[in-house]
Amino acid sequence: MVMEAMQYKTYNPPAALRQYVRYFWSFDSGQSGIPLFQIKSFADQYPRLIFQNLNNFDPICNPQGDKMPVCYLSGIDTKDTLAVVGGSFSHFGVSFYPHALHAFFRIDACELINEMQDINLLCTKQIQSRLDSAETHEERVRIISHYLYEKLDAQVKNEMLVNHIIQSRAITEDTPILQLPDRYNVSERNLERKFKKSVGISPKKFQRIIRFEKALQRLTTAQYTSLAALAHELNYTDQSHFIKDFKMFSGMTPVEFISRKTYGSESSSFIYT
């Protein structure tokens, strides 16, 4: 549910980037009469790049009031985080597949787990100033698409194992994780090493986040009859294990999540007054 004055839009990536980029997005609000929104982010398998247009718009701040970088990378989240922003904001972002940060930035993805890194500390290409100079979000899509494609090289394009696992959705909420090494003819240790390097977390923890995201989707769209039935559907041992995992990844219980009124969302981030 999005308030009338909020505008959320997604943009498809070019074909050359579709193995790494899910979509680009923009989120704009002109509600200057609202003092603050809370941005509550839950555990999320998808890293993101976020650019804040600060030309006459409010910045994102942490709960202590410190401003976030104008343009930053957020790695996979395994816990909830909180930020605040005024009622007037303009954000542009990239939603990556889990293995994309290593592919584009040649860093071990585990270094950015639960981290938000200023893009200027990772790249000298002045992408922040180029995004800032763009007059429309559509122009930002063109700028960031060209920027990301330039960062791919032949070596990255040949790193296919984790790429295939992600793109084929080989890990679901009920995948027998211990069978994956035999399926891909690789040792368990080697698979975990490759996965942590490209994605940042182990296949088992990745599966737990997928399961949590499925629960989040069901609760958001009211596609469930009871918490016990939902826990069974998602292959939790019982309802108490489901509630424990949900609270670990979101900071609240399923009932608390259902009871809170959201005013907008992007991936596993929700906006509250």
Side-chain angles (χ1 to χ4, degrees):
M1 177 167 49
V2 178
M3 294 179 75
E4 185 177 346
M6 287 187 179
Q7 294 184 347
Y8 173 77
K9 187 176 180 180
T10 60
Y11 313 81
N12 292 326
L17 295 177
R18 286 177 191 163
Q19 290 186 2
Y20 305 97
V21 175
R22 300 170 67 218
Y23 55 83
F24 306 114
W25 57 269
S26 60
F27 206 167
D28 299 287
S29 171
Q31 301 187 90
S32 55
I34 296 179
L36 288 175
F37 283 116
Q38 285 188 342
I39 304 175
K40 181 83 169 174
S41 297
F42 300 151
D44 189 355
Q45 64 173 300
Y46 301 114
R48 56 178 72 101
L49 178 149
I50 294 177
F51 166 77
Q52 307 182 66
N53 179 3
L54 297 184
N55 296 315
N56 299 316
F57 293 102
D58 298 322
I60 303 173
C61 299
N62 64 24
Q64 291 73 43
D66 302 317
K67 294 180 181 179
M68 298 293 296
V70 174
C71 186
Y72 60 91
L73 283 177
S74 176
I76 284 180
D77 289 325
T78 64
K79 61 182 181 180
D80 62 298
T81 59
L82 182 67
V84 293
V85 67
S88 178
F89 60 82
S90 180
H91 300 160
F92 174 80
V94 185
S95 180
F96 295 108
Y97 282 107
H99 61 302
L101 295 189
H102 176 68
F104 287 122
F105 298 97
R106 307 309 294 160
I107 56 175
D108 285 356
C110 58
E111 296 178 15
L112 285 180
I113 297 298
N114 299 318
E115 293 292 331
M116 300 177 185
Q117 184 68 263
D118 190 326
I119 193 68
N120 295 310
L121 300 178
L122 298 172
C123 180
T124 59
K125 297 244 180 214
Q126 302 300 316
I127 186 61
Q128 175 179 310
S129 61
R130 290 156 64 188
L131 291 172
D132 188 54
S133 65
E135 296 184 358
T136 65
H137 291 311
E138 287 77 11
E139 186 178 351
R140 292 187 177 102
V141 169
R142 293 190 291 272
I143 290 170
I144 200 71
S145 295
H146 181 70
Y147 165 76
L148 291 173
Y149 185 76
E150 281 187 328
K151 296 185 75 62
L152 288 177
D153 57 36
Q155 180 182 355
V156 171
K157 293 172 185 176
N158 288 330
E159 294 177 350
M160 299 304 294
L161 176 60
V162 176
N163 190 326
H164 177 75
I165 291 174
I166 297 298
Q167 292 295 322
S168 65
R169 300 185 186 277
I171 298 179
T172 65
E173 67 273 11
D174 56 359
T175 300
I177 295 296
L178 293 178
Q179 294 180 12
L180 282 178
D182 288 340
R183 179 175 174 182
Y184 289 99
N185 194 29
V186 64
S187 70
E188 181 180 351
R189 183 176 179 181
N190 197 21
L191 176 62
E192 183 157 328
R193 180 183 62 80
K194 288 177 178 291
F195 215 84
K196 283 187 174 181
K197 184 176 183 180
S198 293
V199 177
I201 54 179
S202 69
K204 187 173 182 179
K205 191 158 192 177
F206 184 70
Q207 181 184 53
R208 290 177 64 197
I209 293 178
I210 288 176
R211 186 178 294 161
F212 162 74
E213 289 178 334
K214 284 281 183 87
L216 201 60
Q217 181 185 28
R218 296 287 196 277
L219 294 173
T220 303
T221 56
Q223 294 178 336
Y224 65 99
T225 55
S226 70
L227 293 183
L230 182 56
H232 177 73
E233 176 191 344
L234 296 175
N235 292 300
Y236 283 98
T237 306
D238 51 40
Q239 184 176 331
S240 64
H241 281 85
F242 166 48
I243 294 173
K244 181 179 178 181
D245 246 24
F246 194 94
K247 190 167 185 178
M248 175 184 294
F249 290 133
S250 70
M252 62 180 74
T253 67
V255 172
E256 289 170 333
F257 173 73
I258 296 167
S259 66
R260 295 192 66 180
K261 179 180 175 62
T262 64
Y263 289 95
S265 65
E266 203 299 305
S267 190
S268 290
S269 295
F270 296 82
I271 295 179
Y272 302 93
T273 52

